[in-house]
Amino acid sequence: MNKHEVAAFFDELAPHWDERAKTEDEKIRFILDIAGICENAVVLDAACGTGVLFPYYLKRNVSRIIGVDISPEMLRAAAAKYRDARIETICADMETLPAHRKCDCCVVYNALPHFPDPVGLIRNLAEWAKPGGRLTVAHGMSLEALKRHHAGRAKPVSKEMLRPDALAAICAPWFSVDTEISDSEMYVVSGMRRMQSD
């Protein structure tokens, strides 16, 4: 998977992304509860796209949202929609972007299959997470639905979604995973940043 192709793919989709995106409030609320999104939290939204989750974070009165995406057009759409001083957007590769702030919550929502190096991603997110902070990787559909979803046009810019136990094993050096959900509705793996230094 080529990262330039990933960026170009999502740049092309950006103008109509929000029209096509299905958001299910109850499902998102459930995921954000697991993710520990609460008042005054500093949230890193990795592969934030057009900022689909931004209004949900703001509704919970977070103090800061750092939205990172590799697609400049996705971020342009996000910036056009939300003019809130609590939101910072960064166009960058989340697998390698150096941490400039420690975050209470790191969220990867509907995006993990588009990262070529999941181990590198998790390792880098561990640099962004405060000790005791939480990483949550979630998708609003089942593994089987994801496989079908990525079998078409998105196949060249997607990897097969990891089983929850495989992702938990990748997270284990840095995060104590306490949530693994994979059912007909969603996929969620979440854990707390270990306190000891690496």
Side-chain angles (χ1 to χ4, degrees), residues 1 3 95 112 114-123 159:
M1 188 191 324
K3 291 182 181 183
E95 289 178 0
L112 188 66
H114 305 296
F115 284 97
D117 180 13
V119 176
L121 172 68
I122 301 303
R123 182 189 300 115
K159 294 179 76 165

Side-chain angles (χ1 to χ4, degrees), residues 56-74:
Y56 296 92
Y57 300 143
L58 293 172
K59 197 175 284 187
R60 292 180 181 224
N61 294 315
V62 301
S63 66
R64 189 81 174 156
I65 300 165
I66 303 168
V68 179
D69 204 281
I70 202 167
S71 161
E73 293 304 319
M74 284 284 193

Side-chain angles (χ1 to χ4, degrees), residues 76-97:
R76 191 169 285 118
K81 287 191 299 186
Y82 305 109
R83 304 207 182 271
D84 189 299
R86 293 172 288 176
I87 298 172
E88 172 188 1
T89 57
I90 303 170
C91 187
D93 177 0
M94 193 66 246
E95 289 178 0
T96 58
L97 179 67

Side-chain angles (χ1 to χ4, degrees), residues 35-196:
I37 308 297
C38 61
E39 189 170 1
N40 296 321
V42 175
V43 181
L44 172 66
D45 189 334
C48 66
T50 62
V52 169
L53 294 183
F54 289 3
Y56 296 92
Y57 300 143
L58 293 172
K59 197 175 284 187
R60 292 180 181 224
N61 294 315
V62 301
S63 66
R64 189 81 174 156
I65 300 165
I66 303 168
V68 179
D69 204 281
I70 202 167
S71 161
E73 293 304 319
M74 284 284 193
L75 280 185
R76 191 169 285 118
K81 287 191 299 186
Y82 305 109
R83 304 207 182 271
D84 189 299
R86 293 172 288 176
I87 298 172
E88 172 188 1
T89 57
I90 303 170
C91 187
D93 177 0
M94 193 66 246
E95 289 178 0
T96 58
L97 179 67
H100 68 265
R101 182 163 187 174
K102 292 293 186 180
C103 301
D104 301 294
C105 310
C106 298
V107 177
V108 184
Y109 178 67
N110 287 359
L112 188 66
H114 305 296
F115 284 97
D117 180 13
V119 176
L121 172 68
I122 301 303
R123 182 189 300 115
N124 198 44
L125 289 172
E127 294 298 314
W128 284 82
K130 289 179 180 175
R134 184 164 283 278
L135 167 67
T136 303
V137 177
H139 220 296
M141 61 176 75
S142 69
L143 283 177
E144 195 53 46
L146 261 174
K147 188 183 270 189
R148 290 193 303 271
H149 182 71
H150 289 140
R153 188 171 168 223
K155 189 171 184 177
V157 294
S158 305
K159 294 179 76 165
E160 189 166 333
M161 189 70 164
L162 294 165
R163 292 176 50 84
D165 57 341
L167 180 56
I170 289 172
C171 293
W174 306 282
F175 297 91
S176 299
V177 173
D178 53 25
T179 304
E180 294 180 42
I181 299 170
S182 180
D183 59 24
S184 61
E185 292 295 315
M186 70 181 76
Y187 173 107
V188 186
V189 173
S190 185
M192 191 172 291
R193 181 69 166 98
R194 296 184 188 280
M195 303 298 287
Q196 75 265 22

